Amino acid sequence: MALNQRKSADLSKAEVHKSSLWRHADDGPNRRQAVDRLVEMLKTLLAKAGGEKLKIAPFIGVGCPGIIEPDGSIARGGQNLPGGNWESNRFNLPAELKQAIPTISDHETMVVMHNDAVVQGLSEAPFMLDVKHWGAATIGTGLGNARFTNRPRAEADDGRAR
C-alpha cells in the first residue's frame, strides 16, 4: 500500500484529507463517554474515506499527554484528560480502540499511542532532514517537549540514500 509516494517518497508532501474536531470541555464527558466519542469520530472518518474510495491503512495513531508505557497505557500525566482515571492499570486506550475497531479495510487494526509532543515532533520529521538535532514544544492545558537527533543516512547498495 503506497501513501501517495509519487509526490514525495519521504512523505513530506503528505496532507490531511479530512479531520474532525471535538472539544471535551464543551460536553464535560466521563472517561467512557470520551472514549465512545473518539470511537464515533474514528468510525465516521473511516466511513467517509471508504466512501471516497481511499485506500485506508489499518493503523490508528494517538498522541496523548503524559508518560506513555510500552503497552500504550498512561503511567502519569493524564490529569488533564476528561472525566476519569486514565492512568488506571485497568484502562488502556489503545486496547479500547482496537476492541471497538478490530479491522480496517479487512486487515487487523494496529493502534499505537505515544506522548503528544513526540507525535507532533515526528510529524515534522520529513521537513527536518537537513539538521542534526531538533525538537518540539507543546503548550496547551500542560507543557510538553521532545528532542530528536537525525542519524546519518546509510547508502543503499544501488547508491540511493535510504
Side-chain angles (χ1 to χ4, degrees), residues 35-149:
V35 172
D36 289 347
R37 178 69 172 106
L38 177 58
V39 168
E40 177 186 320
M41 290 172 66
L42 290 168
K43 287 181 176 180
T44 298
L45 290 170
L46 288 167
K48 284 181 182 180
E52 295 180 26
K53 306 289 189 241
L54 297 174
K55 290 183 180 180
I56 306 168
F59 179 83
I60 298 172
V62 179
C64 186
I67 306 293
I68 311 302
E69 296 288 355
D71 70 354
S73 61
I74 303 170
R76 65 180 191 273
Q79 66 271 11
N80 292 330
L81 296 171
N85 184 4
W86 294 74
E87 300 168 7
S88 169
N89 62 2
R90 295 183 310 276
F91 177 75
N92 183 294
L93 181 57
E96 293 267 333
L97 295 176
K98 185 170 181 162
Q99 181 179 350
I101 305 172
T103 61
I104 297 174
S105 300
D106 298 324
H107 297 281
E108 182 180 354
T109 301
M110 174 186 277
V111 181
V112 175
M113 186 164 82
H114 209 307
N115 174 271
D116 56 348
V118 172
V119 172
Q120 179 186 355
L122 289 173
S123 74
E124 295 297 320
F127 308 104
M128 303 306 291
L129 299 176
D130 59 340
V131 297
K132 184 171 182 178
H133 303 290
W134 54 283
T138 60
I139 302 172
T141 54
L143 300 174
N145 65 74
R147 181 186 165 302
F148 300 89
T149 299

Side-chain angles (χ1 to χ4, degrees), residues 18-24 26-27 37 41 45 48:
K18 297 270 187 200
S19 67
S20 182
L21 174 65
W22 170 59
R23 298 180 317 171
H24 64 80
D26 294 341
D27 298 336
R37 178 69 172 106
M41 290 172 66
L45 290 170
K48 284 181 182 180

